[in-house]
Each structure stands twice: as C-alpha cells, then as structure tokens.
Amino acid sequence: MEDQFSKYLRLFGTIFFSAIGFILILALVLIGLRYVLGVLDYIPWFRYVYFTLMLLIPAGLFLSIFSIFFSRTKTHPSKIIRLSSHIFFVLIMATWIIILVFDCITFFKNGYPDIDKYNSYNLLYLVFNVFSIFFIGVVQALALPNEKDWMDKYTDK
C-alpha cells in the first residue's frame, strides 16, 4: 500500500514541479526578451531593418501565393480560364511590386513609424487580395470536369 502511495506522490510531485518549472522558465524567457528588445530600441539602424521587414512581409506573402497559383494554372484544361487567370495574376503581381516600390520610397523619404501610411497595409487592398485568391480558386475548380464518385468508378471496373 505504501509503495503505491509513494509512486502516486512521486508522480504528483513530478507533474507539479514540472508545471511550476515551465511557468518559471516561460517567465524568465519573457523577461529576457523584454530587456533584449529594450536594448534594440537604442540601436538606430535597427528601426530601419525592422520597418523594411514589415514592408516586405505582405508583398512577399501575396507575391509568393500568386506565383504558386500562376504556376499551377499552366496545367488547367480550360483555355479561357487559364488565359484570364494568367492575365489577372500578372496584373495583381505587378500592382504588388508597384505598391512595394512606392512604400519603400515613402519609408526612406519620410520614415513614418505607423503602418497606416503605407499602401500595402490598406485594409481594402488586403481584403481584395484574399477575396481574389478564393474567387480565382473557385472559378478554376468549377471549370474542371466533374469527378466520378465511387459508385461510377466501381461500375466502370
């Protein structure tokens, strides 16, 4: 009886002290990050690196998504959908490149610390891009021939 009790007590102690240790390590990591990031505020060139990365994130994300869709559209069976999708993808990727260039010019000219001054963070433009990804995907999916269900595949054999 005492042997089982000591096993459960040891198990409870291990779980309890592991949870306490995890919370303490997490708190120490957060405190360390606070001080490290506080030191980075005193480095003058770090602001430029940070804002440059913040300007590149939406353009890089959407350009990579649209380029993947562009390459996958090459094998679409419908020529009209393939051509219209390619035209749309080229136009939208060109607008992202233009907006990225204008945002970089705005940043290096004026150095605004707020993202609302930059066009790549315009909410309507971001919503349009997300909507267009889903819309083109749905249009391409609806243009494909219907798949056979399992009953039709079974009867063909």
Side-chain angles (χ1 to χ4, degrees):
M1 180 75 176
E2 278 187 41
D3 188 34
Q4 251 184 344
F5 179 73
S6 65
K7 286 181 184 178
Y8 286 123
L9 187 62
R10 191 171 356 142
L11 178 64
F12 174 75
T14 303
I15 293 172
F16 179 74
F17 288 120
S18 296
I20 296 294
F22 177 74
I23 292 171
L24 285 175
I25 288 174
L26 187 64
L28 288 173
V29 166
L30 290 176
I31 290 170
L33 280 174
R34 179 178 180 244
Y35 287 121
V36 167
L37 293 176
V39 169
L40 291 177
D41 282 340
Y42 294 108
I43 301 173
W45 55 267
F46 186 73
R47 173 185 282 177
Y48 294 110
V49 171
Y50 174 75
F51 275 110
T52 303
L53 288 175
M54 290 304 293
L55 287 176
L56 291 175
I57 286 173
L61 177 72
F62 282 107
L63 281 172
S64 63
I65 290 170
F66 285 121
S67 65
I68 290 169
F69 269 116
F70 185 84
S71 65
R72 288 188 179 179
T73 304
K74 290 179 182 177
T75 60
H76 197 277
S78 174
K79 187 174 182 177
I80 296 170
I81 298 294
R82 186 173 56 236
L83 183 64
S84 62
S85 296
H86 278 160
I87 291 170
F88 180 76
F89 291 146
V90 167
L91 289 175
I92 200 88
M93 286 191 286
T95 58
W96 267 110
I97 291 170
I98 291 168
I99 284 177
L100 178 64
V101 168
F102 281 140
D103 283 347
C104 287
I105 289 170
T106 303
F107 173 67
F108 287 115
K109 197 176 206 182
N110 301 326
Y112 295 126
D114 300 326
I115 61 171
D116 61 343
K117 306 281 190 211
Y118 303 105
N119 294 323
S120 60
Y121 283 98
N122 184 352
L123 187 61
L124 291 175
Y125 188 63
L126 291 173
V127 168
F128 170 74
N129 279 283
V130 172
F131 175 75
S132 64
I133 290 168
F134 287 111
F135 180 73
I136 295 294
V138 167
V139 168
Q140 287 182 0
L142 289 175
L144 290 173
N146 291 337
E147 284 190 30
K148 293 181 179 180
D149 64 352
W150 66 276
M151 294 279 292
D152 293 335
K153 287 181 184 178
Y154 181 73
T155 56
D156 287 344
K157 288 183 180 180

